[in-house]
Amino acid sequence: MSIPTSEQKVIDAVPKQLLIGGEWHDGGGGETLAVEDPSTGETLVEIADATPADGDAALSAATEAQFAWGDHPPRERGEILRRAWQEISDRADELALLMTLEMGKSVAESKAEVTYGAEFLRWFSEEAVRIAGRYAIPPNGQGRMLVMRQPVGPCLFITPWNFPLAMGTRKIAPAIAAGCTMVVKPAQQTPLSMLALADILQRAGLPDGVLNILTAKSSGKLMGPLIADRRARKLSFTGSTEVGRELMKQASEQLLRVSMELGGNAPFLVFDDADIDAAVEGAVLAKMRNVGEACTAANRFHVATGVAEEFTQKLAARIGAMKVGRGTEDGVEVGPLIDNDQRGKVDELVTDAVGRGAEAVVGGAVVDGPGYFYEPTVLANVSAESRLLSEEIFGPVAPVVGFSDEEEALDWANRTEYGLVAYVYTRDLGRAFRVCERLETGMVGLNQGMVSNAAAPFGGVKQSGFGREGGVEGIEEYVETKYVAMTLP
Ligand code: NAP
């Protein structure tokens, strides 16, 4: 099947090479990697495959650029981010189409990500000029204390495929604002949005070497030596807990500063005093955003037994009516999953739950044909042993489980090694505070099905990782504190 001209034009506009020291290069080994359209399974384009020598060159470029970039006026660092935000906003339709082609979700959802991802550039353009230190008189009045905030130094960023732009801008924007240089490795399945972003940042005036982009078939071979390289000063990773744990081990060799944005298993709690219609709308957003392939996706719905039937039926009606198809088609709300493995895992989890007695109120099967589609699914009567209650589903499947009281709801919510986000629907103010305080998560959506916001500190606890992206906290990941003890002659 040939690619339509409008789509080909968008793909043609993206650089296909590695960005090292301000120059676009082929991979040193002369190899390429294929980027696939998950709605057809066909190759969209071939791009450069970086070798470890390319990785070394990229880190050299970042290291060479570090001092001058850290010394660059904060206002100008902010202006570069602001210009890039403007260009992304102006070209949002084209960038959304590009994202849909490589990742699958609907163009409307991609456009929402383009807006969200760009917002980190605007937010941190404003934070760049607010990195302040501290001056103090010691308690004994002797001398003075000066606290400086300095860029951490060259950073390594590794990002996943599920939000091809935003997972990059959440790291790149605060690093630029703080005066850090960087080497970025996007996921091999969705590198095009990141390459487009690099091109935009270059045109916005980012000096050579500040941002270096490597795409590769073998991420371990490429990034392992860089994580062990003493010129690198920080690793920020977004991806699975399994890979995060492995990278932590590698980073421990040189005690590299690390931020980890890892997997989730978000509970969605609906109490009997909740506005059920609002809870259903929130549930659709929390579950179906990004085809369920979000670390913040509601993984399991715990609903007070008195309202569980009403909630389940209303949710099934909403989810069952969603149009499945190629993300570029009009009216499509549910695109394909990223690949056949991911779809196979979702199907395996549903089969396990059904085998233990769950009922598919709607959906429950793979969709035939090209591409990696799965039916939007709601499962009732899910047994406590079902794997999808403890494992990250990463697909359009909503299991519903009843609870009898607040203690049981909290017990369910916290019964996981993950701790990224939880959603709570209640109109009882006292309960809202009690439950928010006792949830073991980094974020809570109270009567809302989405928490992402560039102005907020995004991040998890427990095995969902540590570190925060966005908000005033986001810049902290990219500055070191230096204390100068002063004697005044
Ligand atoms: P993944 O398999 O962990 O991959 C993430 C990134 O790590 C990709 O760029 C991947 O490269 C790279 N990678 C894999 N193995 C590596 C290694 N040995 N050394 C260096 N890099 C390596 O995760 P994913 O499947 O892309 O993303 C889904 C996961 O990310 C889910 O668990 C989701 O919850 C999590 N996530 C978390 C957040 C958050 O903010 N907490 C946000 C989004 C996603 P390749 O492209 O070569 O595989």
Side-chain angles (χ1 to χ4, degrees):
M1 204 177 81
S2 68
I3 298 170
T5 319
S6 56
E7 296 176 10
Q8 190 62 54
K9 229 171 110 188
V10 163
I11 295 167
D12 288 346
V14 181
K16 317 286 183 309
Q17 293 170 298
L18 314 173
L19 179 61
I20 300 175
E23 305 269 332
W24 293 96
H25 294 268
D26 286 331
E31 303 254 317
T32 56
L33 72 91
V35 182
E36 202 180 85
D37 176 347
S39 70
T40 60
E42 291 183 13
T43 297
L44 290 169
V45 66
E46 297 272 343
I47 62 164
D49 180 24
T51 62
D54 296 321
D56 185 68
L59 185 55
S60 296
T63 307
E64 274 161 34
Q66 179 57 60
F67 178 74
W69 182 239
D71 222 24
H72 207 79
R75 174 67 75 200
E76 285 181 28
R77 297 202 297 254
E79 297 293 347
I80 291 167
L81 288 170
R82 179 83 189 190
R83 283 195 290 275
W85 167 78
Q86 187 65 59
E87 182 171 343
I88 294 175
S89 305
D90 294 346
R91 293 173 52 198
D93 288 331
E94 172 199 339
L95 293 166
L97 176 57
L98 180 71
M99 188 182 291
T100 292
L101 291 175
E102 64 175 346
M103 190 273 168
K105 64 188 160 197
S106 71
V107 169
E109 280 207 78
S110 291
K111 200 159 171 194
E113 184 187 335
V114 168
T115 305
Y116 169 58
E119 204 50 50
F120 287 94
L121 304 178
R122 181 157 67 160
W123 173 264
F124 285 107
S125 76
E126 292 154 355
E127 291 298 287
V129 291
R130 311 205 198 294
I131 303 168
R134 187 152 61 87
Y135 165 85
I137 302 173
N140 66 3
Q142 304 296 307
R144 294 294 180 266
M145 300 163 81
L146 194 61
V147 180
M148 298 178 182
R149 312 287 276 148
Q150 296 182 309
V152 165
C155 300
L156 304 175
F157 296 154
I158 303 177
T159 60
W161 48 263
N162 62 343
F163 290 98
L165 183 74
M167 296 306 97
T169 55
R170 289 204 312 201
K171 302 180 193 306
I172 293 168
I176 288 176
C180 295
T181 62
M182 65 211 85
V183 176
V184 183
K185 194 212 78 67
Q188 60 182 294
Q189 283 158 311
T190 58
L192 304 180
S193 297
M194 195 77 84
L195 291 166
L197 171 69
D199 185 39
I200 289 169
L201 279 163
Q202 264 197 313
R203 266 178 296 107
L206 197 65
D208 294 348
V210 174
L211 172 67
N212 303 276
I213 306 271
L214 301 173
T215 51
K217 281 192 271 213
S218 178
S219 44
K221 266 197 205 134
L222 176 70
M223 298 309 289
L226 300 188
I227 294 169
D229 193 314
R230 300 231 163 164
R231 293 172 299 173
R233 296 295 164 80
K234 158 112 198 172
L235 167 67
S236 180
F237 171 74
T238 301
S240 61
T241 296
E242 190 189 357
V243 173
R245 207 175 274 127
E246 179 53 36
L247 298 182
M248 282 278 293
K249 279 189 209 149
Q250 294 178 23
S252 70
E253 275 304 307
Q254 61 148 327
L255 295 173
L256 192 60
R257 230 181 115 163
V258 173
S259 302
M260 289 278 155
E261 298 283 348
L262 308 178
N265 177 1
F268 190 106
L269 309 181
V270 183
F271 289 94
D272 53 9
D273 57 64
D275 175 339
I276 299 300
D277 290 334
V280 169
E281 286 314 306
V284 172
L285 185 59
K287 178 74 256 180
M288 301 303 289
R289 177 172 172 243
N290 229 44
V291 206
E293 294 171 312
C295 51
T296 52
N299 207 59
R300 48 204 169 93
F301 294 81
H302 300 288
V303 185
T305 44
V307 293
E309 177 65 16
E310 180 191 353
F311 176 84
T312 307
Q313 292 306 329
K314 286 182 167 169
L315 182 63
R318 279 287 277 111
I319 284 184
M322 293 178 95
K323 186 175 169 192
V324 180
R326 190 165 191 250
T328 51
E329 287 165 21
D330 275 352
V332 162
E333 293 167 280
V334 185
L337 294 174
I338 190 70
D339 58 25
N340 207 32
D341 285 354
Q342 184 56 34
R343 182 171 64 169
K345 191 194 160 203
V346 170
D347 196 41
E348 195 182 301
L349 291 176
V350 171
T351 304
D352 169 77
V354 171
R356 293 175 197 270
E359 175 206 348
V361 186
V362 67
V366 161
V367 177
D368 287 339
Y372 312 116
F373 296 93
Y374 197 85
E375 290 178 352
T377 300
V378 175
L379 299 176
N381 304 321
V382 178
S383 95
E385 293 72 37
S386 302
R387 283 174 51 201
L388 46 50
L389 296 183
S390 55
E391 294 179 32
E392 197 175 22
I393 304 171
F394 244 52
V397 176
V400 183
V401 184
F403 66 77
S404 52
D405 58 22
E406 197 175 300
E407 270 315 301
E408 193 189 351
L410 277 163
D411 180 52
W412 264 118
N414 291 333
R415 202 188 297 171
T416 168
E417 71 268 28
Y418 295 107
L420 190 61
V421 61
Y423 303 92
V424 182
Y425 273 76
T426 177
R427 283 184 283 203
D428 177 331
L429 191 58
R431 169 175 278 158
F433 271 87
R434 275 196 308 277
V435 172
C436 286
E437 285 173 9
R438 286 185 56 193
L439 284 167
E440 296 170 0
T441 57
M443 301 175 288
V444 180
L446 178 60
N447 295 317
Q448 60 183 66
M450 196 170 90
V451 294
S452 303
N453 190 322
F458 188 106
V461 299
K462 293 161 76 179
Q463 292 189 35
S464 290
F466 44 81
R468 292 295 178 266
E469 293 189 327
V472 290
E473 292 83 356
I475 205 114
E476 296 294 323
E477 307 285 322
Y478 299 99
V479 288
E480 289 285 13
T481 299
K482 183 186 281 172
Y483 152 56
V484 182
M486 299 192 294
T487 296
L488 304 177

